[in-house]
């Protein structure tokens, strides 16, 4: 199978057939670079494992919502899992079919619900009774019917970082397992709602299959109880969450993951049910890097710092979750400077502004570094903190590099602001 699109050729790190040095010259740094081949390969791993089942892939847009990324997946046949009106506008912009959009999220506003209802989305993934009532009111007012799935919290431990674990009782997500049957009865009695499915999403960066099997068993138990109550469940949405390798993690391969779940479903007599997967990270995470330049080296008594031109506003994951990103030199020097232990930090005025700690690197000012595994939750979480324009984004396809988001200008950052009147 396709391994990584990021390889050294003649001591220079390439993405597909393009040297990263060329991209830095052409587009500047910091720069996000994605590989179309890697996006395609990850999608195909899901699609091939789904063949022979009624299983579908709904890409979780929040992982990377660039229009070019969405377009690549739409062309491959993906549906989309969205969590805001903004994401709805993005997927409609690239021409996604409304019946291939599911709307998730705990805090959908009335305006967002209205927009999704007007668009005709496949279903709303509902996370609370209050939300169910609001959606019913909106649908009734518009004299329409909203298709719904209830997100059930199966109370399983996904064994991931507390900030990205979502399937425990203590999390804000989903309807408690013990309350789900009653919630379905409430929904079934609402004239302007049509129950179409059930969903769960137990967390992110999950590197074991066992928690999914536990969740699946609980959801199947619930489906059987609901169908005994006369409530038909046409699709089962397993959410996303499959982890990727950032460092030394050993997540199951996409094909193994999907195959194990689908086989388990078939063994339990649900082999012909419509199944949805909502992968985000596992489709895009290892298809992107953040390219950054070393501005200064600052040796110290306790620590050496390499100060680079990408900061926590560009890549928030280390500051936010102590996340690890491999930091690799773009050029392997013929006569390398002596290697030293560095904290690789950004220019933002926060001590939490770091990309990597205690990394052994042989660096000179001006060197380029690639922060690997930066395709997911990276650009989408970037900000303008310190009035820093957000990075440009490029998608590589073989020998070609397409600019898919222009670098922001400083003027754009305050164009919507105004001074008080004189
Ligand atoms: C974030 C999210 C996903 C995607 O999670 P990944 O870990 O990126 O695969 C899928 N479904 C829902 C409801 C989500 O909130």
């Amino acid at each position: 199978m396709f391994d990584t699109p990021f390889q050294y050729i003649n001591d220079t790190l390439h993405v597909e057939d393009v040297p990263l040095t060329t991209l830095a010259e052409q587009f500047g740094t910091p720069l996000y670079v994605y590989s179309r081949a890697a996006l395609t390969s990850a999608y195909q791993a899901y699609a091939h494992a789904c063949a022979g089942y009624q299983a579908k892939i709904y890409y979780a847009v929040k992982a990377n919502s660039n229009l070019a990324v969405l377009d690549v997946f739409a062309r491959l046949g993906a549906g989309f899992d969205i969590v805001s009106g903004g994401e709805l506008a993005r997927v409609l912009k690239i021409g996604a079919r409304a019946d291939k959009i599911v709307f998730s999220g705990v805090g959908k506003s009335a305006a967002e619900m209205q927009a999704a209802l007007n668009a005709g989305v496949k279903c709303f993934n509902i996370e609370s009774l209050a939300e169910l009532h609001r959606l019913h009111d909106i649908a009734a007012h518009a004299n329409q019917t909203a298709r719904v799935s209830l997100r059930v919290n199966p109370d399983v431990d996904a064994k991931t970082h507390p900030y990205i674990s979502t399937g425990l009782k203590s999390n804000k997500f989903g309807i408690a397992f013990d309350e789900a049957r009653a919630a379905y009865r409430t929904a079934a009695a609402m004239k302007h709602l049509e129950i179409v499915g059930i969903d769960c999403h137990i967390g992110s960066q999950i590197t074991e299959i066992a928690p999914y099997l536990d969740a699946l068993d609980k959801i199947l138990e619930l489906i059987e109880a609901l169908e005994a109550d006369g409530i038909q469940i046409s699709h089962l949405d397993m959410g996303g969450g499959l982890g990727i390798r950032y460092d030394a993690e050993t997540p199951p391969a996409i094909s193994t993951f999907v195959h194990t779940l689908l086989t388990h479903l078939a063994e339990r007599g649900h082999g012909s049910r419509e199944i949805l997967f909502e992968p985000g990270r596992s489709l895009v995470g290892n298809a992107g890097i953040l390219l950054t330049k070393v501005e200064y080296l600052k040796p110290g008594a306790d620590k050496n710092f390499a100060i680079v031109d990408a900061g926590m506003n560009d890549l928030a994951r280390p500051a936010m979750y102590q996340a690890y990103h491999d930091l690799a030199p773009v050029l392997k020097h013929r006569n390398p400077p002596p290697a030293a232990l560095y904290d690789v930090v950004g220019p933002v005025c926060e001590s939490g502004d770091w990309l990597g700690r205690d990394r052994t690197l042989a660096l000179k000012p001006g060197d380029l570094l690639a922060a690997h595994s930066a395709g997911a939750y990276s650009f989408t979480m970037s900000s303008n903190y310190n009035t820093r324009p957000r990075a440009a984004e490029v998608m590589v396809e073989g020998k070609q590099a397409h600019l898919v988001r222009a670098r922001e200008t400083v003027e754009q950052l305050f164009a919507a602001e105004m001074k008080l009147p004189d």
Side-chain angles (χ1 to χ4, degrees):
M1 209 196 81
F2 180 91
D3 191 15
T4 166
F6 303 101
Q7 312 255 23
Y8 288 93
I9 303 171
N10 298 327
D11 288 336
T12 304
L13 188 58
H14 283 56
V15 51
E16 300 191 25
D17 300 328
V18 181
L20 284 167
T21 42
T22 307
L23 294 180
E25 273 165 37
Q26 197 176 343
F27 301 104
T29 54
L31 181 71
Y32 276 99
V33 184
Y34 310 121
S35 155
R36 182 176 185 176
L39 297 172
T40 303
S41 151
Y43 184 85
Q44 297 294 17
Y46 271 98
H48 290 155
C50 287
Y53 290 89
Q54 299 300 314
K56 296 167 183 162
I57 302 141
Y58 279 61
Y59 169 59
V61 172
K62 72 178 186 291
N64 186 326
S65 57
N66 184 284
L67 297 186
V69 172
L70 301 180
D71 181 50
V72 165
F73 289 135
R75 292 195 213 189
L76 289 166
F80 296 98
D81 170 44
I82 58 166
V83 293
S84 71
E87 290 188 354
L88 175 65
R90 283 182 178 274
V91 296
L92 293 176
K93 174 80 182 169
I94 57 114
R97 276 171 38 190
D99 64 351
K100 293 179 97 173
I101 301 170
V102 298
F103 191 1
S104 301
V106 285
K108 302 173 193 80
S109 71
E112 287 175 320
M113 284 179 172
Q114 187 66 64
L117 196 60
N118 291 347
V121 298
K122 176 182 172 73
C123 101
F124 290 84
N125 289 347
I126 295 294
E127 303 216 16
S128 64
L129 281 175
E131 197 193 347
L132 198 62
H133 285 286
R134 178 184 278 181
L135 180 60
H136 183 256
D137 288 348
I138 289 169
H141 190 73
N143 199 23
Q144 283 180 284
T145 304
R147 288 173 290 275
V148 297
S149 161
L150 302 195
R151 174 169 174 181
V152 174
N153 186 333
D155 193 26
V156 299
D157 185 358
K159 301 191 174 63
T160 183
H161 190 283
Y163 282 14
I164 49 180
S165 181
T166 57
L168 281 170
K169 267 188 190 158
S170 52
N171 297 127
K172 71 175 176 179
F173 297 102
I175 294 171
F177 187 81
D178 297 336
E179 293 159 21
R181 205 165 163 185
Y184 267 99
R185 273 193 230 109
T186 305
M190 293 176 154
K191 253 180 58 198
H192 291 273
L193 299 185
E194 180 194 353
I195 295 169
V196 293
I198 189 164
D199 62 289
C200 67
H201 171 71
I202 57 174
S204 198
Q205 185 55 17
I206 300 170
T207 54
E208 290 170 44
I209 301 184
Y212 283 98
L213 294 175
D214 293 347
L216 190 54
D217 283 336
K218 295 192 81 172
I219 299 290
L220 289 178
E221 179 194 318
L222 193 54
I223 290 179
E224 285 156 15
L226 292 170
E227 298 201 327
D229 289 349
I231 295 171
Q232 291 309 307
I233 301 294
S234 57
H235 75 249
L236 191 179
D237 180 344
M238 286 302 297
L242 178 62
I244 61 168
R245 183 170 179 154
Y246 286 95
D247 183 13
E249 303 91 336
T250 51
I254 291 169
S255 57
T256 310
F257 167 76
V258 172
H259 180 78
T260 306
L261 262 61
L262 293 178
T263 312
H264 189 78
L265 272 161
E267 282 165 2
R268 293 275 317 252
H270 293 264
S272 58
R273 194 176 288 279
E274 183 184 358
I275 305 298
L276 270 53
F277 291 101
E278 300 172 345
R281 190 189 311 271
S282 53
L283 283 177
V284 294
N286 275 328
I289 58 126
L290 173 62
L291 186 60
T292 183
K293 189 177 78 187
V294 177
E295 294 279 15
Y296 303 101
L297 294 180
K298 190 173 172 186
D302 284 350
K303 286 231 173 243
N304 301 308
F305 292 102
I307 301 166
V308 298
D309 66 358
M312 64 188 285
N313 73 296
D314 299 297
L315 181 61
R317 299 186 69 259
M320 197 159 162
Y321 315 113
Q322 288 82 50
Y324 180 93
H325 287 270
D326 185 26
L327 300 174
V330 167
L331 270 179
K332 291 190 173 160
H333 293 293
R334 294 275 147 75
N335 303 304
L341 205 56
Y342 288 102
D343 275 9
V344 178
V345 302
V348 171
C349 303
E350 295 278 346
S351 295
D353 179 28
W354 56 277
L355 300 185
R357 285 181 168 151
D358 296 327
R359 304 298 173 88
T360 304
L361 292 161
L363 294 176
K364 292 199 300 241
D367 279 356
L368 295 169
L369 287 173
H372 279 288
S373 315
Y377 304 107
S378 295
F379 185 87
T380 48
M381 289 174 103
S382 65
S383 78
N384 296 120
Y385 188 39
N386 282 204
T387 305
R388 288 171 47 82
R390 278 179 297 175
E393 294 174 284
V394 164
M395 193 179 299
V396 170
E397 187 178 17
K399 291 182 167 51
Q400 279 183 296
H402 306 280
L403 182 66
V404 295
R405 191 180 209 273
R407 187 175 303 284
E408 281 176 342
T409 65
V410 168
E411 290 69 31
Q412 284 174 318
L413 303 191
F414 48 75
E417 298 175 23
M418 39 240 142
K419 296 194 294 179
L420 294 178
D422 287 334

